[in-house]
Amino acid sequence: MFPEQNSGYGYEDCKATADWLLTQTDIRPVVGIVCGSGLGGLADMLKDQVVFNYKDIPNFPQSTVRGHAGQLVFGTLKGRPCVCMQGRFHLYEGYPIQKITLPMRIFKLLGVETVMLTNAAGGLNQDYKVGDVMIIKDHINMPGFAGNNPLAGPNDDRFGVRFPCMSDAYDRELQQLAMDVGQELGYSDFLKEGVYCVLGGPSFETIAECRMLHRLGADAVGMSTVHEVITARHCGMRVFALSLITNQAVMDYESKEKANHEEVLQTGRQRAKQLEQLVSAMVTRIEHSQNYA
Ligand SMILES: O=P(O)(O)O[C@H]1O[C@H](CO)[C@@H](O)[C@H]1O
């Protein structure tokens, strides 16, 4: 179950991949962006792009899900050097959890200081509407309850400590920045803050499961992000994450609604421009160790 030393996920493997990427481009990213289902257009914001197909990057997994293009895009956003994953990996694709999160460690070794993760999620909170954007303030890691945590197995201290704290996983300043920027852009009507719950997928939730998750304190449900957040925090990167509410989770036996990936992708396309504006305005205002003003 746990990665062996030569598993392809260890420090040396991540370092080899990061070093290889650094020989292919002069861009030294300080921000790493992960595009959720149907949100790959975020990568199109980057200028002076250098694009790698995942299949050409040593050690990198391949995207298998529609709406996840499978490209790593380097570029600049209003002068800030960034790297963007146009396509992420999910547990249900069959990858070991350490492989899903490998890009976070590669981000770290590329010099990334802040990770911005996006996802598509089902709304459990009855006040949420399709198209709302939920700034994630906390998470519930359901697979983690069963021992499925990306940090399980031998700890490599070069990345981080054995028992990382998660009560501060989502950077509060960045949450406030998102709220401020959202307000300035006129997005307050559809900006929310809430708790994201990850499940293994790929089947969508039953009605009883949605009701249970809501009672447990989750505002939105999805199949990603949390593993990346844990790995990113373990190695000391700041984390901001948001969910686009692409569908209402079905909570009622009378409902005719059925969760489906088409609706997820469609909502992503409809909110794409506003999400790009929000993320790019935030990127210009995040402080980093180097000054790019
Ligand atoms: O979390 P992202 O990658 O946005 O994708 C979400 O959309 C897919 C379901 O439509 C699932 O993979 C779910 O996790």
Side-chain angles (χ1 to χ4, degrees):
M1 175 180 182
F2 297 137
E4 302 298 327
Q5 216 137 38
N6 296 322
S7 58
Y9 324 126
Y11 185 91
E12 304 305 340
D13 303 295
C14 296
K15 182 91 175 70
T17 304
D19 287 348
W20 182 84
L21 287 165
L22 292 172
T23 62
Q24 308 291 310
T25 170
D26 294 333
I27 296 169
R28 298 292 175 260
V30 288
V31 177
I33 300 168
V34 180
C35 303
S37 286
L39 302 174
L42 286 169
D44 300 337
M45 303 182 293
L46 301 191
K47 301 267 176 305
D48 309 317
Q49 293 191 2
V50 180
V51 182
F52 301 91
N53 281 318
Y54 289 168
K55 67 176 169 37
D56 299 326
I57 306 175
N59 282 323
F60 228 72
Q62 306 306 309
S63 284
T64 68
V65 185
R66 217 151 35 87
H68 291 262
Q71 299 192 136
L72 190 65
V73 182
F74 286 71
T76 57
L77 194 48
K78 311 241 173 85
R80 286 352 181 239
C82 297
V83 58
C84 186
M85 283 179 73
Q86 214 173 21
R88 66 143 59 83
F89 312 108
H90 308 81
L91 267 183
Y92 61 75
E93 291 175 79
Y95 291 119
I97 196 163
Q98 290 82 7
K99 192 126 195 166
I100 290 168
T101 52
L102 180 106
M104 294 304 105
R105 292 182 159 179
I106 294 170
F107 275 9
K108 173 72 181 180
L109 295 171
L110 289 172
V112 167
E113 296 174 12
T114 305
V115 181
M116 304 179 79
L117 300 132
T118 64
N119 65 49
L124 295 163
N125 184 320
Q126 296 305 288
D127 294 336
Y128 289 2
K129 294 189 286 300
V130 169
D132 280 353
V133 173
M134 181 185 88
I135 295 164
I136 302 180
K137 65 174 183 190
D138 205 347
H139 71 225
I140 299 174
N141 179 11
M142 280 289 178
F145 290 175
N148 216 350
N149 187 301
L151 305 179
N155 186 59
D156 191 324
D157 297 339
R158 286 172 291 185
F159 284 120
V161 297
R162 170 77 287 189
F163 300 110
C165 174
M166 284 296 139
S167 57
D168 62 352
Y170 299 86
D171 190 284
R172 298 213 171 91
E173 274 180 31
L174 296 180
Q175 289 172 50
Q176 187 58 51
L177 177 62
M179 278 300 189
D180 294 345
V181 166
Q183 198 167 26
E184 287 165 27
L185 290 167
Y187 296 169
S188 299
D189 283 355
F190 62 84
L191 266 193
K192 317 279 170 182
E193 273 184 309
V195 176
Y196 176 86
C197 178
V198 61
L199 301 184
S203 50
F204 286 110
E205 301 69 42
T206 65
I207 294 171
E209 286 165 349
C210 289
R211 290 178 168 193
M212 180 193 82
L213 297 176
H214 185 231
R215 285 199 187 140
L216 289 180
D219 296 298
V221 57
M223 309 171 194
S224 73
T225 307
V226 166
H227 318 304
E228 293 152 343
V229 170
I230 292 170
T231 308
R233 291 298 297 145
H234 179 243
C235 61
M237 293 187 286
R238 288 176 91 187
V239 166
F240 170 78
L242 63 78
S243 294
L244 172 62
I245 305 300
T246 52
N247 55 290
Q248 304 266 22
V250 181
M251 312 275 270
D252 174 1
Y253 288 100
E254 304 304 313
S255 170
K256 297 270 183 293
E257 295 291 319
K258 286 184 181 193
N260 65 87
H261 194 54
E262 265 326 308
E263 183 185 8
V264 168
L265 298 180
Q266 170 73 11
T267 311
R269 284 191 283 273
Q270 284 164 354
R271 264 286 177 254
K273 281 286 158 260
Q274 283 113 328
L275 280 177
E276 285 169 26
Q277 295 297 321
L278 180 71
V279 171
S280 71
M282 283 181 73
V283 166
T284 57
R285 286 169 44 179
I286 297 174
E287 286 180 19
H288 291 107
S289 53
Q290 293 177 58
N291 188 2
Y292 298 97

